[in-house]
Amino acid sequence: MKAIVVGSGGREHALAWTLLRSPQVTEVVCIPGNGGTARLPGCRNVAMAMDEVDAIARCALVNNMAFVLVGPEQPLAEGLADKLRAQRVNVFGPGADGAQIESSKAWAKDLMADANVPTAASAVFTDADSAIAYVEQQGAPIVVKADGLAAGKGVTVAMEKSDAIAAIQSAFSGQFGAAGERIVIEEFLTGQEVSVLAVTDGQTIRPLLPAQDHKQVGEGDTGPNTGGMGAYAPTPVMPADLLARVQSEVLEPTLNALKAKSIDYRGVLYAGLIVTPAGDPKVIEFNCRFGDPETQAVLPLLETPFEDIITACCDQTLSTLSAFKWKAAASACVVMAAEGYPGPYKKGLVIGGLDSAEADEDTVIFHAGTRMAQDSAQGTAQGTVKSTGGRVLGVSAIAPTFEAALAKVYSAIDKIDFPGSFYRRDIGHRVKGMASGMEGN
Ligand SMILES: Nc1ncnc2c1ncn2[C@@H]1O[C@H](COP(=O)(O)OP(=O)(O)O)[C@@H](O)[C@H]1O
Ligand SMILES: [Mg+2]
């Protein structure tokens, strides 16, 4: 079986790597892929843009690809899955209608209200004056969110009313373009955040192992938000009984609400949850695709052939698949970023030592922002790996315990020669010492 993965991040490297672990999968084409997928045996990068629908469809049909797995939200929101399906290509990923669950926070809030899914109380505004009046009435802390896709930069958690008002004014002055023409203002919730990535064929929905990530750049969860500096799975914050509640209180009702709108949703439904101090799961947001970097932590634990899960979602046969099998182990992923990230950073940094860092069989380095530079001076077929982004590598490892997985990750990082990079040394600090529940469930 051959398949296409669309995207160029660490998530897509992890998706391709997981597919290729199965002997059934003989080739993965990454469109466009990155330096890591270029180095991955069995994987081939094809330089096409993610909106070149006809070229992607031709690649899928001519090469008899079993499916196209779309990684990022932007092409899904733009209807890539619909356009490929219209050309009879099997696609994992919702159409533009279903992708609204991520591309419009107001739409998602309405859906949650229809489905009676627990979430923060909220109101939607299309002008600054009424939004400000609402904040004056509600008080702080309060959360202001641009409605549309804003690359993770559209949310302000305002501890003071003045911060909320400033966020409202900047959204309506065009800071987020069309994405900020509508805003959601919602109740501030406290508790630990957990990501539950579920897969669905539109009829049946099943969660993967729950994960947690670290969004902030600085140790102790300080400083500005990033795309994610590390992740781990499973997490003791979401034991099996709580995950069962997420299934019945969040995932199933949400899928039913999508069905009630005649939306045929085949792909990932990612619930970003907060576990309140009372122990109840509440939805912070939904995403319509695999999480990054959660995927790089979750998938190394998967024992069920990944292509079986993807195929079952595409073919609407998920209910016939036996329960997903997971390694009884813990997994962690630590991101190495270019100095300065999430602010301005240098590109083209040379990365060495990858082979020795990956020598351990339970360690894998997923590339997020790299490319292979064909270095004729060196004359090697491999070439040189150079950075192209802010988040550059995700170093993942699995081990019987969470502490051992982290120790493997950090010892691999020590072997990577990457001047001009940094990483957080405290990934997993929120669950250190919470031993129970880390075994696979
Ligand atoms: N209601 C809320 N209460 C407290 N924190 C929130 C709330 N909504 C969002 N946040 C914080 O802001 C972050 C980003 O919000 P989210 O809705 O996930 O938007 P996005 O991922 O699109 O930027 C969350 O991960 C969470 O830390
Ligand atoms: Mg989020």
Side-chain angles (χ1 to χ4, degrees):
M1 173 190 289
K2 299 190 284 183
I4 292 177
V5 171
V6 173
S8 61
R11 163 184 53 209
E12 287 75 24
H13 185 178
L15 295 170
W17 176 86
T18 309
L19 287 169
L20 283 162
R21 296 181 81 187
S22 165
Q24 306 296 346
V25 177
T26 53
E27 185 183 37
V28 172
V29 166
C30 272
I31 297 176
N34 63 30
T37 54
R39 282 165 51 96
L40 178 64
C43 191
R44 183 161 62 90
N45 287 351
V46 171
M48 285 175 194
M50 293 189 280
D51 60 1
E52 284 184 72
V53 178
D54 291 340
I56 297 172
R58 207 173 322 119
C59 178
L61 296 168
V62 167
N63 294 294
N64 201 17
M65 297 290 181
F67 52 80
V68 175
L69 199 178
V70 182
E73 63 278 14
Q74 191 76 43
L76 292 168
E78 289 169 4
L80 178 60
D82 307 291
K83 293 170 197 165
L84 291 173
R85 285 192 184 108
Q87 302 201 37
R88 298 179 170 278
V89 175
N90 227 3
V91 186
F92 181 90
D97 54 1
Q100 288 178 92
I101 204 160
E102 175 164 3
S103 67
S104 169
K105 291 188 189 292
W107 191 91
K109 279 286 185 185
D110 274 347
L111 190 83
M112 285 187 253
D114 290 350
N116 206 15
V117 165
T119 184
S122 69
V124 177
F125 298 93
T126 51
D127 72 283
D129 289 347
S130 37
I132 290 168
Y134 182 77
V135 166
E136 291 292 357
Q137 174 215 329
Q138 295 288 316
I142 195 158
V143 183
V144 179
K145 301 185 171 186
D147 178 55
L149 294 180
K153 298 186 173 68
V155 172
T156 300
V157 178
M159 299 317 287
E160 308 290 341
K161 278 201 287 193
S162 56
D163 299 335
I165 291 167
I168 292 166
Q169 280 161 341
S170 78
F172 287 116
S173 68
Q175 192 196 350
F176 304 111
E181 282 167 6
R182 203 155 46 144
I183 60 170
V184 176
I185 301 185
E186 68 179 37
E187 172 196 4
F188 172 77
L189 300 173
T190 55
Q192 286 213 38
E193 288 181 59
V194 180
S195 303
V196 174
L197 281 60
V199 292
T200 177
D201 62 0
Q203 303 294 329
T204 301
I205 186 159
R206 289 207 196 153
L208 307 181
L209 289 181
Q212 287 188 285
D213 74 342
H214 291 270
K215 292 182 177 55
Q216 284 169 286
V217 72
E219 288 174 7
D221 298 322
T222 54
N225 271 350
T226 69
M229 294 301 294
Y232 45 94
T235 168
V237 175
M238 177 76 50
D241 56 339
L242 194 56
L243 188 61
R245 281 187 60 193
V246 171
Q247 173 74 9
S248 62
E249 294 173 26
V250 175
L251 300 175
E252 284 169 358
T254 302
L255 181 62
N256 287 335
L258 289 165
K259 279 201 281 191
K261 287 184 181 291
S262 303
I263 292 174
D264 181 6
Y265 195 110
R266 305 183 197 192
V268 169
L269 181 65
Y270 161 150
L273 303 158
I274 206 156
V275 181
T276 67
D280 298 317
K282 289 196 173 183
V283 175
I284 291 276
E285 65 161 350
F286 283 115
N287 293 318
C288 65
R289 36 78 192 175
F290 283 100
D292 189 330
E294 294 95 324
T295 302
Q296 293 93 302
V298 170
L299 290 183
L301 292 170
L302 182 67
E303 283 197 325
T304 302
F306 190 39
E307 76 279 10
D308 289 352
I309 297 174
I310 301 299
T311 306
C313 289
C314 293
D315 297 349
Q316 287 205 312
T317 54
L318 190 56
S319 66
T320 65
L321 218 60
S322 47
F324 301 160
K325 287 207 187 74
W326 299 98
K327 294 196 165 85
S331 178
C333 173
V334 175
V335 169
M336 296 180 82
E339 259 164 29
Y341 174 80
Y345 54 82
K346 283 193 191 140
K347 293 182 184 175
L349 303 169
V350 176
I351 304 158
L354 292 170
D355 291 332
S356 81
E358 266 186 317
D360 173 75
E361 63 169 8
D362 291 326
T363 301
V364 53
I365 299 167
F366 296 119
H367 294 223
T370 72
R371 67 184 173 91
M372 287 276 281
Q374 290 308 329
D375 189 341
S376 55
Q378 272 196 339
T380 63
Q382 292 274 318
T384 310
V385 176
K386 292 190 175 172
S387 73
T388 58
R391 290 191 304 155
V392 180
L393 301 173
V395 181
S396 291
I398 64 170
T401 67
F402 186 48
E403 282 70 20
L406 279 164
K408 275 185 188 231
V409 167
Y410 286 115
S411 105
I413 287 177
D414 284 342
K415 295 184 188 129
I416 298 174
D417 181 20
F418 184 5
S421 70
F422 75 96
Y423 58 91
R424 280 181 58 169
R425 285 155 219 270
D426 68 339
I427 297 306
H429 72 85
R430 289 181 296 229
V431 296
K432 285 255 168 70
M434 288 176 70
S436 67
M438 290 310 288
E439 63 276 5
N441 55 355

